[in-house]
Amino acid sequence: MPAPTPRIPTTAGEGPMSYAIYQLARAHRARAAAMLREMDLHPGQELLLMHLLDRDGQTQSELLESVDVDHSTISKALRRMQDAGLLVREPAAHDRRVMVVHLTDKGRAMREPIAAMWQALEETSAQNLSAQQAESFVRTAYAIADAINSRALPQEEST
């Protein structure tokens, strides 16, 4: 049985795809946040852990570039994760002002739980889609993201 279509506010009527993306992002973020809470993680921390699991010993700047968030957000996340015993930050040997981030054993132990969480979230997200629809959705989502990211923001266009 198909899910009911949400009532789109009239002011969003000219952007039904954008409204659908908003609803999708909101639902996905809420489900992911609930799953992460069960793992004692805050949203976004799993992404930092995944990047460190792929390559431990990155600088804060490298992580900042990988997850594309602002400096204060990543600093706060890393501080919380250090307080939770998932990682340590140490000054780089080549420049004491540069902080290098290393996983602890506890942080490395998060590999399987995070992978299982993402697999469960994927299964939930795709439960009403065929394999072909899911593959098409992924291609479409990246195409939309590329289109949005390649367009300058209005204030950037006028300068």
Side-chain angles (χ1 to χ4, degrees):
M1 178 163 123
T5 304
R7 185 183 154 311
I8 299 174
T10 56
T11 51
E14 296 303 316
M17 182 177 71
S18 293
Y19 194 74
I21 290 169
Y22 164 76
Q23 291 291 336
L24 169 63
R26 196 171 138 258
H28 193 270
R29 187 173 24 257
R31 176 59 61 108
M35 296 171 86
L36 289 166
R37 272 193 302 276
E38 292 176 8
M39 300 167 62
D40 292 325
L41 293 175
H42 294 274
Q45 290 180 344
E46 83 283 13
L47 297 174
L48 291 167
L49 286 168
M50 286 191 276
H51 282 283
L52 287 166
L53 286 163
D54 282 351
R55 188 170 63 87
D56 199 5
Q58 294 185 55
T59 66
Q60 282 190 207
S61 296
E62 289 170 324
L63 287 169
L64 182 74
E65 191 175 304
S66 296
V67 296
D68 195 26
V69 296
D70 63 73
H71 189 272
S72 62
T73 300
I74 202 158
S75 293
K76 181 179 177 182
L78 292 174
R79 187 174 52 256
R80 280 182 170 175
M81 294 168 73
Q82 186 166 349
D83 291 347
L86 297 169
L87 54 84
V88 293
R89 295 181 291 173
E90 340 178 288
H94 70 281
D95 185 343
R96 308 280 301 157
R97 296 169 298 174
V98 175
M99 296 302 283
V100 179
V101 183
H102 293 280
L103 292 170
T104 62
D105 289 342
K106 183 178 178 181
R108 282 187 288 282
M110 295 301 291
R111 180 183 295 276
E112 292 307 316
I114 289 171
M117 175 255 169
W118 275 85
Q119 180 179 5
L121 185 58
E122 185 88 358
E123 289 170 2
T124 298
S125 299
Q127 69 185 350
N128 295 332
L129 303 177
S130 68
Q132 183 179 0
Q133 288 173 316
E135 289 172 20
S136 178
F137 172 79
V138 170
R139 284 192 307 276
T140 301
Y142 280 118
I144 291 168
D146 288 346
I148 291 168
N149 291 330
S150 69
R151 176 89 192 259
L153 294 173
Q155 65 265 26
E156 293 172 350
E157 291 174 343
S158 62
T159 58

